[in-house]
Amino acid sequence: MLQEINITNEDIEYAEKILLPQGKVFDKERRLFIRNLDTIDLQAVPGSGKTTAVLAKLVILEKHMPLKSGRGILVISHTNVAVDEIKQRIGNHCPKLFTYPNFVGTIQSFVDTFLAIPYCQNFLKIRLYRIESERFQEELWFQFSKIYWNKKFEKPGTYLFGRLINKAKAEAKKSGRTEKQVCDDLIKKDVQNLYFDFRDEKIKFFRDDEVLLSTKTNKKYQGIKEAILKVLHSGVISYEYAYKLADYYLEKVPGVKSILLERFQYVFVDEMQDMDSCQNELIENIFEPAENAPSIIQRIGDKNQAIYNAGSVQIENIWSLRNVVLYINGSHRLSPRIASLVQNLALTPNPVEGRNVNSDGSSIDIKPIIFVYQDDTRELVIPAFADKIKELQASNLIPLNPPYKFMAVAWRKEHDDANKIALCDYWPHFAKASSGQQIDFKVLEDYILYLDKEKKTLESVRKNILNALLKILRLENVSDENDRVYTKRKLINFFKTLENNEYEILKLNLYKWAISSIRGKSQETIIWIREYIPIFLSVFHKTIALSTNFINGVSEINKAEIENELQLNRFESDGINIEIGTIHSAKGQTHTATLYLETYFQKDGNGANAKSYESQRLAGQLMGNQILSTAKTRVKQSARMAYVGFSRPTHLLSLAIHKERFDFVLSDIDVDDWDIIEFTTEE
């Protein structure tokens, strides 16, 4: 029996005092959602404050804790950033929410904690210490390399070579690389995509569940299975494997589902549109809504913002709306002008009402701008955007000290073909985002050059260097006494057992290298580490062989650019700072002004009707027409990206389009809706 909780006006007023600026209140549509404690979906437009409405509901539910029968609340979001925001905004007001029996975390942490880790402990007798795709892939390749030419297992590497050589030949002709180089890369990619299915005991690919090998007496099957299990027994799995193990656990122990349903009375899934198919299926499998269901589940998000990764855009309806759907159509971020453009791009139609006003209550009525450039003037677009911002500030139409940043965004960062426009064509200095916390790099140099810019401490640099040494051991096929790869802790403990002060020497070197790196002496540090590596490997009775390219390889990023990456991805002019990045990097952000730079994304059609850019595919929407449900796939993909990009700014939306495309598809655009600024030639 579900506990009945009635949310009163007094409850909502209590939440308003905690979450909203003084004098602000929740309007009718948000109050309707906050009061609702039934199984529903909430479809909310960009800038609607849906997360704040969810937090209001949680703040109110906190007052009713502990719930009857010791039940709890489950709050799931997609990213750690979103979870941290929840904790930061209401943590002080909701201490019970963040303790048992409640759980607030990412979908990944939920799967790991309640399903994947228990499966490993109870059925595989494995204690997981790392769930990370890159580490799993690296260690799987390490184990596979040991059996690549092994006759005992009928040379699995040769088998994969035979499967992939025709594909490699075709790709080699296009890329100019040798067939062997291409095939080696394809083999590694395939190996790193493998998993062992404990349900039917077949070896499959994560990408599509295609079966590679299934006959248990096959020697290649035995060798690859052994390689996969060695990685698992080392305590490492990938994010993808965690979902497979979660499914196994639910099938093997059906009572787990009942336990979770009994534990969590209320389930809130925020940013539902970001869930992929396996995440959505798992949530639905456990908390499937039904009559008299023991749990209430509410899914919150915006289906129109469902973009998953930089390589593609998902347009399938992974998230199918329930019978009961609440809508929040009012956007406190968007002005009416921008909202009308965003609405035209919505594949799931619902009104987008722009309600944003200036701080003094006056309306925001800045006409969006199209910058029309030619081949020799496209680098003028971002500076012109900055000039327009200054002009609008001088007219008091944009605040001099805005609360949000200015940003130029694009779908594609780069292209191999010079004739295909990408972000780097508008801003040639663009540097790829640094790895931040990444622990695996292609060459030794990157472990020193790529430091966590937010946490450049002795300890963080020391960890980077140790990770580089561990990679050298993996490349040289060095394993511990249990035939497992070394971890940082195992490596340090092993050195402590050695004679001749090997541990003291390593410890002193790590300190010296870390200090040198922090002081900006990266190249000296790299030279010192390279000089030490033969000594390091001699401890394991090894010399430099398979790790040569890794040790001596040159970073793909220009050295001067690495230290100034943040500055390189920024344009500054007279106090105007414009950040430059991808649409994916801007997802969820609010900007004061946004410049959307059209880029090439796959050719659609032939001849004069060929469409490759947003301006071509979305000409109708830019001219005021609602996108049709019958639109082609690539049109829908472009609409998804533009919907996210166009819905970032509070004041100014701008778009950059090549003159040839503008003249061909947009020459009749309504100038009452858009200002047109054209660059005829570079000055």
Side-chain angles (χ1 to χ4, degrees), residues 66-303:
L67 302 179
K68 289 182 180 178
S69 302
R71 303 188 70 188
I73 294 173
L74 173 62
V75 183
I76 294 175
S77 195
H78 195 67
T79 64
N80 286 313
V81 172
V83 173
D84 290 342
E85 181 186 356
I86 293 172
K87 293 177 179 178
Q88 180 182 1
R89 293 184 66 184
I90 65 172
N92 292 337
H93 304 281
C94 300
K96 297 173 190 173
L97 179 66
F98 298 95
T99 59
Y100 182 88
N102 308 298
F103 185 87
V104 180
T106 63
I107 178 63
Q108 187 70 50
S109 65
F110 170 77
V111 168
D112 297 344
T113 302
F114 294 101
L115 301 169
I117 292 174
Y119 179 84
C120 287
Q121 291 174 336
N122 297 329
F123 294 99
L124 303 182
K125 306 305 177 187
I126 293 171
R127 183 180 178 184
L128 293 180
Y129 82 92
R130 186 180 293 278
I131 301 174
E132 180 185 303
S133 294
E134 285 187 10
R135 183 61 175 270
F136 174 82
Q137 293 165 0
E138 188 71 24
E139 300 208 7
L140 180 55
W141 179 247
F142 169 73
Q143 294 296 341
F144 182 83
S145 298
K146 293 181 179 181
I147 63 168
Y148 196 106
W149 303 107
N150 195 320
K151 293 180 180 179
K152 174 184 174 182
F153 299 119
E154 298 179 348
K155 300 180 180 179
T158 302
Y159 167 66
L160 290 179
F161 188 91
R163 288 183 84 250
L164 296 166
I165 185 59
N166 288 335
K167 182 179 180 181
K169 287 178 179 179
E171 290 191 14
K173 288 180 181 178
K174 298 177 183 177
S175 65
R177 302 168 67 208
T178 67
E179 293 174 2
K180 183 179 183 305
Q181 287 174 329
V182 174
C183 201
D184 286 345
D185 287 347
L186 292 174
I187 291 171
K188 184 173 183 179
K189 186 177 180 180
D190 263 10
V191 168
Q192 293 183 325
N193 202 251
L194 291 173
Y195 76 97
F196 179 74
D197 191 329
F198 288 93
R199 185 190 296 105
D200 57 20
E201 299 190 40
K202 295 178 181 179
I203 296 170
K204 302 177 180 178
F205 294 101
F206 279 119
R207 60 176 173 255
D208 53 12
D209 285 325
E210 177 192 353
V211 176
L212 175 67
L213 294 164
S214 59
T215 305
K216 296 179 183 178
T217 56
N218 184 306
K219 299 298 182 183
K220 293 181 282 291
Y221 168 96
Q222 294 170 2
I224 295 174
K225 175 185 175 182
E226 182 179 304
I228 295 171
L229 293 183
K230 278 186 177 180
V231 179
L232 293 181
H233 282 279
S234 73
V236 178
I237 65 170
S238 64
Y239 300 129
E240 297 83 0
Y241 223 145
Y243 288 93
K244 299 293 184 185
L245 301 181
D247 287 338
Y248 303 156
Y249 194 44
L250 289 169
E251 287 181 15
K252 213 166 185 67
V253 189
V256 170
K257 177 176 176 178
S258 300
I259 292 171
L260 291 171
L261 286 168
E262 183 60 32
R263 174 168 171 175
F264 298 114
Q265 177 170 335
Y266 296 106
V267 179
F268 300 101
V269 185
D270 197 13
E271 303 297 351
M272 183 65 202
Q273 77 279 349
D274 291 333
M275 302 294 170
D276 62 27
S277 57
C278 70
Q279 292 169 337
N280 177 59
E281 288 166 8
L282 185 136
I283 292 170
E284 290 297 285
N285 180 21
I286 299 172
F287 302 106
E288 181 181 3
E291 191 174 350
N292 299 320
S295 297
I296 296 296
I297 176 170
Q298 296 192 348
R299 305 181 302 179
I300 300 105
D302 180 3
K303 291 184 70 174

Side-chain angles (χ1 to χ4, degrees), residues 24 40 54 69 109 167 243 341 439 470 568 573 611-612:
K24 297 291 184 180
I40 58 163
V54 175
S69 302
S109 65
K167 182 179 180 181
Y243 288 93
L341 287 169
I439 64 169
L470 292 176
L568 286 168
S573 175
K611 298 176 181 178
S612 307

Side-chain angles (χ1 to χ4, degrees), residues 524-621:
E524 288 183 30
T525 305
I526 293 166
I527 292 171
W528 289 337
I529 296 173
R530 284 174 176 159
E531 291 173 348
Y532 172 74
I533 288 170
I535 301 169
F536 172 73
L537 285 174
S538 68
V539 170
F540 302 92
H541 308 291
K542 287 275 189 175
T543 57
I544 297 174
L546 299 174
S547 60
T548 300
N549 291 338
F550 169 76
I551 294 167
N552 298 320
V554 178
S555 174
E556 294 181 359
I557 304 299
N558 183 281
K559 310 296 185 306
E561 292 180 356
I562 293 170
E563 291 300 321
N564 300 301
E565 182 180 294
L566 291 177
Q567 286 69 37
L568 286 168
N569 294 345
R570 187 184 303 275
F571 173 79
E572 299 184 17
S573 175
D574 297 333
I576 302 296
N577 296 312
I578 298 172
E579 188 177 317
I580 301 165
T582 64
I583 296 169
H584 283 84
S585 71
K587 193 173 185 295
Q589 295 180 358
T590 298
H591 307 157
T592 298
T594 304
L595 169 62
Y596 190 107
L597 306 164
E598 69 165 1
T599 55
Y600 179 96
F601 173 67
Q602 297 181 352
K603 190 175 181 180
D604 184 14
N606 295 299
N609 293 321
K611 298 176 181 178
S612 307
Y613 293 86
E614 291 95 332
S615 61
Q616 296 169 315
R617 292 187 174 128
L618 304 175
Q621 287 64 63

